Amino acid sequence: MNLYDAHNHLQDAWLAPHYPRVFADLAAVGVRRAVANGSSEADWPDVTTLAHAHPVVLPSYGVHPWDAGNRSPSWQKNLLAALDANPHAGVGEIGLDRWMTDRAKPDDPRLAGLRVAPIEEQTEVFLWQFALAAERNLPSSIHCVDATGLLHDLLRDARRPARGFLLHSYNGPEEMVAALAKLGAYFSFNANFLDARRARLRGVYAAIPADRLLVETDAPSVRPPSSLEKFPLPPTADGVHVNHPANLAATYAALADLRGVTTEALATQVEKNFLRLFGH
Ligand SMILES: [Zn+2]
């Protein structure tokens, strides 16, 4: 059984001290590809280094909405250079985030040192990157928090990549799934949706069309429920939880259970979907 992690951040410094163990565990559970998403100009070189060292890693380069406010004046030129140098690369992580602008506490440690870009500025940065994915027909990985309606309207009116695009950790309303799928969306399931407080999302992922379903870890971010955490890692020096990407295997099993299919049947479907969207 081949497994595919549609969205993560393997280049992250939180995982770097554990690489030998992490990559051995990924191979042991059958992970064939893992898409490592750069989120700012600062981490793109690390994505490239990792992709060169480990064929399991598919690189992706983008400016995340959290990092949009700190992009350099030459960010577009730098993104084009990263994509030109890595022909298998995708565009991501890109997107829109209204939690950051409307709900986050100003002292939230996750936003420390970042200039919060207003939604208009995030939209501009997102649309430029999405247009690039459309023009080159590249896979793209989209983050969206508290902005599903806006994202839908932007996608509807934009030129879109012929191959489709990924709404990673889609957590919007179930009623919008059909309209987004019609525009070309794929949806990746994260184990964090199995948290008891997020029961609504289990309904959403039971209803996603089988040919648009993917699975992800977002590692090292996001905490799976402890029952699914088969590969624990020590926390960071600041005491932050670190999600091991091999927890993907338990995520597949949980999603298969939720959809009432065998893990093998789910893995076969997800493999087809992954190869259709990402091409490798
Ligand atoms: Zn991510």
Side-chain angles (χ1 to χ4, degrees):
M1 210 165 48
N2 292 326
L3 306 184
Y4 296 82
D5 189 349
H7 182 100
N8 62 50
H9 302 274
L10 296 185
Q11 77 281 4
D12 197 288
W14 289 355
L15 286 172
H18 311 296
Y19 279 156
R21 173 167 154 197
V22 161
F23 283 99
D25 290 341
L26 288 178
V29 301
V31 175
R32 186 173 172 273
R33 287 277 184 264
V35 185
N37 284 257
S39 50
S40 72
E41 291 159 271
D43 73 354
W44 298 344
D46 301 329
V47 171
T48 303
T49 304
L50 207 59
H52 287 160
H54 302 278
V56 67
V57 173
L58 263 188
S60 191
Y61 303 95
V63 175
H64 188 286
W66 289 16
D67 296 285
N70 291 74
R71 69 198 188 283
S72 82
S74 46
W75 72 279
Q76 289 149 312
K77 191 169 68 89
N78 295 340
L79 180 56
L80 291 169
L83 291 171
D84 288 343
N86 298 278
H88 294 317
V91 176
E93 179 169 358
I94 61 177
L96 302 170
D97 194 312
R98 276 200 183 118
W99 167 82
M100 172 181 71
T101 52
D102 299 2
R103 289 197 293 129
K105 295 199 178 79
D107 60 349
D108 189 298
R110 287 169 290 181
L111 300 175
L114 299 177
R115 179 179 76 79
V116 172
I119 195 71
E120 296 76 16
E121 185 180 342
Q122 292 182 40
T123 299
E124 206 178 293
V125 172
F126 166 68
L127 284 178
W128 191 86
Q129 297 180 95
F130 190 68
L132 185 59
E135 185 189 307
R136 298 187 175 196
N137 192 24
L138 298 174
S140 50
S141 200
I142 302 174
H143 160 118
C144 182
V145 178
D146 292 352
T148 312
L150 172 62
L151 178 68
H152 168 270
D153 293 353
L154 293 172
L155 293 170
R156 181 195 58 205
D157 298 340
R159 181 178 167 201
R160 298 180 296 278
R163 71 199 307 145
F165 51 87
L166 174 62
L167 301 182
H168 111 81
S169 278
Y170 174 76
N171 62 6
E174 186 178 332
E175 302 80 68
M176 292 197 68
V177 167
L180 289 163
K182 203 171 143 211
L183 298 177
Y186 287 74
F187 305 83
S188 53
F189 177 80
N190 191 293
N192 162 269
F193 295 162
L194 296 160
D195 184 290
R197 288 162 299 182
R198 312 191 82 181
R200 176 185 72 82
L201 291 171
R202 292 198 284 282
V204 173
Y205 278 84
I208 301 256
D211 65 348
R212 297 306 180 87
L213 194 59
L214 290 167
V215 188
E216 60 154 80
T217 62
D218 213 1
S221 311
V222 180
R223 183 170 209 152
S226 46
S227 60
L228 294 189
E229 191 148 46
K230 310 285 184 200
F231 291 88
L233 283 172
T236 66
D238 300 336
V240 183
H241 176 268
V242 179
N243 181 17
H244 188 315
N247 292 321
L248 183 70
T251 309
Y252 264 75
L255 178 60
D257 194 40
L258 190 158
R259 290 181 64 95
V261 297
T262 63
T263 306
E264 288 75 14
L266 176 72
T268 303
Q269 178 71 58
V270 168
E271 177 165 59
K272 279 191 205 147
N273 299 347
F274 185 95
L275 296 175
R276 204 184 309 117
L277 178 60
F278 287 98
H280 302 279

